[in-house]
Amino acid sequence: PLINTISGVVKLCIVESVMLEMQDPKTGVKSQPQRLVITTIPHAITGEDIVAWLTNRYSIEAEEAWALGTMLVAFGYIYPLQDHKRLVIKPDASLYRFQTPYFWPAQQWPVEDTDYAIYLAKRNIRKKGILALYEQVQYNSLHKWMNHKWDFIVMQAKEQYRAGKERKKPDRVVFDCQERAYWVVHRPPPGTVSAMDYGLERMVLKSIILHSLQHSSCFLCLFSLFSSLVKYSVTYNKHDPFLAPCLPSNPWVTDDVTYWFLNMANVGIPTKMRVERWTFSFGELLSDPRGRDDFRLFLKKEFSGENLAFWEACEDLKWGTAATMNDKAQQVYKTFLTRGAPRWINIDGKTMEVTVKGLKHPHRYVLDAAQTHIFMLMKKVSFTTLILQALLCPSWRPMRGSVDPASVPSSSASWSRRREPGWPPVALWTSHRS
């Protein structure tokens, strides 16, 4: 089935409606008391019942139902009662429970280190100093960092532990499992991929969204898809070395490597076909390292180089390691977004509000709104100005032009050593084409 991504708020509403439907006493997933060690857990469900219910309700394959169930577990809507560290659905007799709405991601409670420290201190009291290895490491780290208020943290932990002792044992076990599931999602063990790293707005819902689509709508979607594919093929036909002649020679057929030297990432003088690709779209220009360098030089002359620097910083945050994610997000905020920033960027108030609010719970895609705003600004203003200057301003024409691959001899090694960096060649190519 097709995949459709929609806004984060709508997705959360859909997921919550699915959860409410799954918990319906008549039509939902059947639950019953289950014995866990020596304690009877009320309203427990099995993994195979969850997968079967999703399969029958949305008319999807078992594999997709399993993936959807795993997503619900990964985001903390359902939690396992046995294997707490593995946030996946096991399509067998493994026991699960529905998470209380208080801990649902839609509540967006701030995940504070103080709360996590209280939770670990409470577990340390209950387990009499025997914690899991990663919990012990976190406990020691928080103890060292929050030493100035550790007495308050221990006092809160003791009060919560005392209040928990007054509950009935099944209720106490259920609450402990709910709280542990919440912290496993928001403070996962090392080596576990956290769904919260990607943000709630990145959730992808499959057949639930498209369950009610008619055949006519599917046909229109497929027609649009094939039209885009044909348009792309026509545009890039001459630039595919497997479809068009590869000049000056095809390195996949011959031993001549001149083609690779002409198309190196930071080549001194790019070929005409390479410059032509830059004019296809703004994305093509940014995806080429040489094209991006030329565009950076142009923005520097236009006194707007901070826009490209911000876009690159967002890409670094998006594709960087999880360990440096929070630090990078704060560094981007201090460099580009905060009032009086050294490289402040100009974005509208609504986008700024969404970005600043998202930075309270940073994840990989927290800067998507601001990055998209800056991308469109560069595309509509800077990229268009670059093309217009190339066409209308003769004085801006570069001192050196692009290279015709057909005129390059096969002795690529000696030729590549003679090349020197030049001005951006997109101007000459666009003027010649006009």
Side-chain angles (χ1 to χ4, degrees), residues 48 134 166 235 288 316 331 333 350 368 398:
E48 57 185 356
Y134 80 95
E166 298 176 358
T235 303
D288 190 327
D316 184 41
Q331 184 62 32
Y333 175 73
K350 184 177 180 180
D368 264 9

Side-chain angles (χ1 to χ4, degrees), residues 153-222:
I153 291 173
V154 172
M155 182 184 66
Q156 290 291 325
K158 289 181 178 180
E159 288 295 328
Q160 293 184 16
Y161 178 72
R162 188 178 299 109
K165 293 281 286 185
E166 298 176 358
R167 299 189 183 98
K168 296 180 180 180
K169 188 172 183 180
D171 296 338
R172 184 168 68 249
V173 172
V174 167
F175 181 77
D176 292 342
C177 291
Q178 290 173 345
E179 192 176 23
R180 177 164 48 183
Y182 174 82
W183 287 113
V184 167
V185 170
H186 291 84
R187 291 289 191 273
T192 303
V193 178
S194 173
M196 293 301 169
D197 283 351
Y198 299 90
L200 296 175
E201 64 274 11
R202 306 294 299 187
M203 292 173 64
V204 178
L205 304 179
K206 298 187 179 181
S207 295
I208 294 180
I209 310 300
L210 300 173
H211 182 67
S212 60
L213 285 182
Q214 301 298 327
H215 293 289
S216 58
S217 300
C218 295
F219 175 77
L220 292 176
C221 292
L222 291 176

Side-chain angles (χ1 to χ4, degrees), residues 108 110-111 196-201 317 325-326 329-330 333 337 350-370:
Q108 296 188 359
V111 186
M196 293 301 169
D197 283 351
Y198 299 90
L200 296 175
E201 64 274 11
L317 171 65
M325 184 174 56
N326 292 340
Q330 294 302 323
Y333 175 73
L337 300 175
K350 184 177 180 180
T351 304
M352 178 66 77
E353 181 181 357
V354 172
T355 303
V356 173
K357 183 179 179 181
L359 284 171
K360 296 179 181 178
H361 313 287
H363 52 81
R364 295 184 184 277
Y365 302 93
V366 70
L367 298 173
D368 264 9

Side-chain angles (χ1 to χ4, degrees), residues 6-21 58 71-72 77 104-108 200-201 203 205 208-209:
I6 53 180
S7 65
V9 175
V10 176
K11 292 178 195 175
L12 288 177
C13 294
I14 293 175
V15 172
E16 291 184 3
S17 64
V18 171
M19 294 303 302
L20 294 176
E21 192 173 357
Y58 298 107
M71 186 199 72
L72 296 176
Y77 288 98
W104 281 2
Q107 302 295 339
Q108 296 188 359
L200 296 175
E201 64 274 11
M203 292 173 64
L205 304 179
I208 294 180
I209 310 300

Side-chain angles (χ1 to χ4, degrees), residues 20-211:
L20 294 176
E21 192 173 357
M22 293 178 71
Q23 298 180 64
D24 187 272
K26 296 181 179 180
T27 61
V29 182
K30 300 302 179 182
S31 62
Q32 57 184 349
Q34 294 284 352
R35 193 170 184 83
L36 185 64
V37 191
I38 60 174
T39 306
T40 301
I41 305 297
H43 305 294
I45 54 179
T46 62
E48 57 185 356
D49 289 342
I50 296 174
V51 174
W53 188 90
L54 292 172
T55 302
N56 296 330
R57 173 63 180 84
Y58 298 107
S59 302
I60 56 180
E61 299 293 334
E63 292 79 5
E64 188 170 6
W66 172 85
L68 178 58
T70 297
M71 186 199 72
L72 296 176
V73 174
F75 280 93
Y77 288 98
I78 302 174
Y79 64 90
L81 290 173
Q82 295 161 314
D83 194 354
H84 303 279
K85 297 180 182 179
R86 296 195 61 192
L87 299 179
V88 296
I89 281 288
K90 297 180 181 179
D92 52 23
S94 300
L95 298 180
Y96 298 82
R97 284 191 94 254
F98 294 112
Q99 181 65 284
T100 177
Y102 179 82
F103 289 126
W104 281 2
Q107 302 295 339
Q108 296 188 359
W109 299 118
V111 186
E112 301 289 347
D113 290 331
T114 303
D115 297 332
Y116 188 48
I118 294 174
Y119 164 74
L120 290 179
K122 184 170 58 174
R123 278 187 58 83
N124 188 57
I125 296 173
R126 184 187 305 115
K127 296 293 183 179
K128 297 181 180 180
I130 303 176
L131 297 175
L133 180 59
Y134 80 95
E135 290 180 334
Q136 188 65 52
V137 173
Q138 292 288 341
Y139 180 85
N140 295 336
S141 176
L142 291 172
H143 188 187
K144 182 178 179 180
W145 181 47
M146 300 182 176
N147 188 45
H148 59 286
K149 58 177 180 178
W150 195 252
D151 293 338
F152 166 78
I153 291 173
V154 172
M155 182 184 66
Q156 290 291 325
K158 289 181 178 180
E159 288 295 328
Q160 293 184 16
Y161 178 72
R162 188 178 299 109
K165 293 281 286 185
E166 298 176 358
R167 299 189 183 98
K168 296 180 180 180
K169 188 172 183 180
D171 296 338
R172 184 168 68 249
V173 172
V174 167
F175 181 77
D176 292 342
C177 291
Q178 290 173 345
E179 192 176 23
R180 177 164 48 183
Y182 174 82
W183 287 113
V184 167
V185 170
H186 291 84
R187 291 289 191 273
T192 303
V193 178
S194 173
M196 293 301 169
D197 283 351
Y198 299 90
L200 296 175
E201 64 274 11
R202 306 294 299 187
M203 292 173 64
V204 178
L205 304 179
K206 298 187 179 181
S207 295
I208 294 180
I209 310 300
L210 300 173
H211 182 67

Side-chain angles (χ1 to χ4, degrees), residues 150-349:
W150 195 252
D151 293 338
F152 166 78
I153 291 173
V154 172
M155 182 184 66
Q156 290 291 325
K158 289 181 178 180
E159 288 295 328
Q160 293 184 16
Y161 178 72
R162 188 178 299 109
K165 293 281 286 185
E166 298 176 358
R167 299 189 183 98
K168 296 180 180 180
K169 188 172 183 180
D171 296 338
R172 184 168 68 249
V173 172
V174 167
F175 181 77
D176 292 342
C177 291
Q178 290 173 345
E179 192 176 23
R180 177 164 48 183
Y182 174 82
W183 287 113
V184 167
V185 170
H186 291 84
R187 291 289 191 273
T192 303
V193 178
S194 173
M196 293 301 169
D197 283 351
Y198 299 90
L200 296 175
E201 64 274 11
R202 306 294 299 187
M203 292 173 64
V204 178
L205 304 179
K206 298 187 179 181
S207 295
I208 294 180
I209 310 300
L210 300 173
H211 182 67
S212 60
L213 285 182
Q214 301 298 327
H215 293 289
S216 58
S217 300
C218 295
F219 175 77
L220 292 176
C221 292
L222 291 176
F223 179 77
S224 176
L225 176 64
F226 286 123
S227 299
S228 300
L229 180 61
V230 170
K231 180 179 179 181
Y232 180 90
S233 301
V234 172
T235 303
Y236 289 86
N237 181 34
K238 295 182 180 181
H239 299 267
D240 191 333
F242 289 98
L243 300 178
C246 188
L247 301 175
S249 62
N250 194 328
W252 287 277
V253 178
T254 66
D255 294 332
D256 186 13
V257 294
T258 305
Y259 178 83
W260 303 124
F261 282 101
L262 292 175
N263 292 276
M264 289 190 301
N266 293 305
V267 67
I269 306 177
T271 63
K272 288 185 178 180
M273 294 184 65
R274 185 171 178 177
V275 177
E276 181 182 353
R277 286 177 66 100
W278 299 351
T279 63
F280 288 166
S281 66
F282 184 50
E284 281 288 347
L285 178 64
L286 291 183
S287 63
D288 190 327
R290 172 58 200 270
R292 189 186 300 184
D293 290 341
D294 291 339
F295 187 62
R296 183 181 293 107
L297 177 63
F298 171 76
L299 291 179
K300 185 177 180 181
K301 296 177 180 294
E302 296 290 321
F303 302 100
S304 57
E306 66 278 356
N307 291 335
L308 182 59
F310 174 75
W311 184 86
E312 291 177 330
C314 294
E315 289 293 299
D316 184 41
L317 171 65
K318 188 182 300 183
W319 303 106
T321 59
T324 60
M325 184 174 56
N326 292 340
D327 295 337
K328 288 181 179 179
Q330 294 302 323
Q331 184 62 32
V332 170
Y333 175 73
K334 294 177 182 178
T335 306
F336 298 98
L337 300 175
T338 187
R339 183 172 299 179
R343 305 195 71 181
W344 185 75
I345 58 173
N346 185 15
I347 59 178
D348 60 272

